[in-house]
Amino acid sequence: MLLKTLINTNELALLLGQPNVVVLDCRFYLTDHAKGQSEYNKGHIPSAIFVDVHRQLAAPETELTGRHPLPDEIVFSEQLLAWGIDSSTQVVVYDDMGGAIAARAWWMLSQQNIDVRVLNGGFPAWLREGRDVSLTPVIAKSTSNQIEVSFPWAVSEQAIVENFETNQFQLVDARTSDRFNGENETIDAVAGHIPGAINRPFSDNLDANACFKPAEQLHVEWQDWLSNSSDAYVYYCGSGVTACHNVLALNYAGIEAKQVYVGSWSQWSKRMLRAVAL
């Protein structure tokens, strides 16, 4: 079953102010965790709630995890309550990176059977069209209808290890080709990729304006990489964020995809360092 994926600026403009609609501003910058809140304060889509991706869409990193492990299920359930999101809520998420960050929120919420879509083109598209921008921080209105959270589409490190023997799925890496090839690693301590993975950079899903390419074009492009058995693929990246963009693009293109190795290269490279330490 295909997931709901994108919404355009016209559609979002019509939804603003309606009951049971929640908009989440997911702007995030890996090298400056305070910048997202700062950019939000400079201007955001009216009614949008700022989301701290590092703290609200991820648990603290440990020596055994990647940079952005999934939050505890109970903790994330409480977070949904605080944002005012329940099973009847329509959610729109956006960023300023072509959906690269917002896709993580989309993927996490989609697993809870929440009606959630990513704003195509994000905040830059909203600005290009001269739409209203607010400077007033939005305080979320909490709900009392709690969702029982689970993450059935998350693939564990152990499953990746076992796959070397069972060969149950193909890994697809969403990072840039230079990082995949170990040529320009500036984030993780070890360069390279998980053995056997193929590379489809998430940026290849976007056009020159950082909007998604037409669904028909994406379908053709992705078919060059994947067979019809998309269940046999697991998507990863550096820390389980931009991998979700490939999952989003595939569903938009009419190809079912869900599974993400959240630990991704940042966890896998730690495994390599642990092995060296032993």
Side-chain angles (χ1 to χ4, degrees):
M1 180 178 177
L2 293 174
L3 305 172
K4 292 183 178 180
T5 54
L6 303 180
I7 187 172
N8 63 40
T9 53
N10 289 329
E11 292 168 325
L12 175 55
L14 293 173
L15 287 177
L16 293 182
Q18 293 188 21
N20 296 325
V21 173
V22 170
V23 181
L24 301 179
D25 184 317
C26 299
R27 282 178 282 179
F28 173 75
Y29 309 90
L30 185 59
T31 59
D32 185 351
H33 292 170
K35 186 177 178 181
Q37 180 74 67
S38 176
E39 291 299 306
Y40 173 85
N41 293 340
K42 293 176 184 177
H44 54 266
I45 294 175
S47 80
I49 302 164
F50 176 70
V51 172
D52 188 328
V53 172
H54 194 62
R55 294 179 175 85
Q56 294 174 316
L57 297 182
E61 180 181 3
T62 74
E63 63 178 9
L64 298 178
T65 71
R67 285 190 301 278
H68 295 110
L70 286 171
D72 177 84
E73 294 170 349
I74 295 176
V75 171
F76 192 59
S77 180
E78 294 292 334
Q79 183 62 69
L80 293 177
L81 283 177
W83 284 332
I85 296 174
D86 59 29
S87 59
S88 67
T89 308
Q90 186 170 353
V91 181
V92 177
V93 295
Y94 73 89
D95 58 31
D96 58 1
M97 297 183 181
I101 309 300
R104 166 72 172 233
W106 168 84
W107 180 76
M108 291 173 65
L109 293 174
S110 292
Q111 292 177 75
Q112 319 315 323
N113 293 316
I114 293 169
D115 182 351
V116 54
R117 287 174 287 172
V118 175
L119 178 62
N120 196 11
F123 194 56
W126 189 266
L127 290 177
R128 282 197 303 270
E129 296 170 8
R131 298 185 181 274
D132 290 343
V133 171
S134 174
L135 300 176
T136 305
V138 175
I139 306 299
K141 297 180 180 179
S142 62
T143 180
S144 59
N145 301 318
Q146 191 159 14
I147 292 174
E148 185 175 345
V149 165
S150 64
F151 297 111
W153 306 339
V155 177
S156 69
E157 179 189 34
Q158 184 60 36
I160 304 301
V161 174
E162 292 173 356
N163 192 59
F164 286 107
E165 297 294 333
T166 62
N167 196 30
Q168 294 296 302
F169 53 79
Q170 170 68 58
L171 284 168
V172 182
D173 190 318
R175 295 175 300 161
T176 57
S177 58
D178 57 347
R179 288 189 67 202
F180 177 82
N181 292 324
E183 299 168 347
N184 184 29
E185 184 56 67
T186 60
I187 303 172
D188 293 308
V190 176
H193 60 267
I194 300 174
I198 58 175
N199 184 214
R200 164 73 183 196
F202 79 88
S203 57
D204 287 354
N205 300 321
L206 303 172
D207 64 19
N209 289 319
C211 293
F212 278 79
K213 295 174 181 176
E216 297 79 5
Q217 180 180 348
L218 284 171
H219 187 91
V220 171
E221 291 181 4
W222 272 101
Q223 285 301 328
D224 289 340
W225 292 89
L226 309 179
S227 70
N228 291 327
S229 179
S230 58
D231 284 346
Y233 291 83
V234 171
Y235 304 87
Y236 82 95
C237 54
S239 65
V241 176
T242 58
C244 301
H245 197 276
N246 277 347
V247 174
L248 174 64
L250 280 158
N251 279 273
Y252 178 57
I255 303 171
E256 189 172 346
K258 293 177 180 177
Q259 293 183 302
V260 171
Y261 168 36
V262 176
S264 288
W265 182 249
S266 58
Q267 182 182 43
W268 193 259
S269 59
K270 285 183 180 180
R271 162 172 283 278
M272 296 169 68
L273 290 175
R274 292 198 299 275
V276 170
L278 293 174

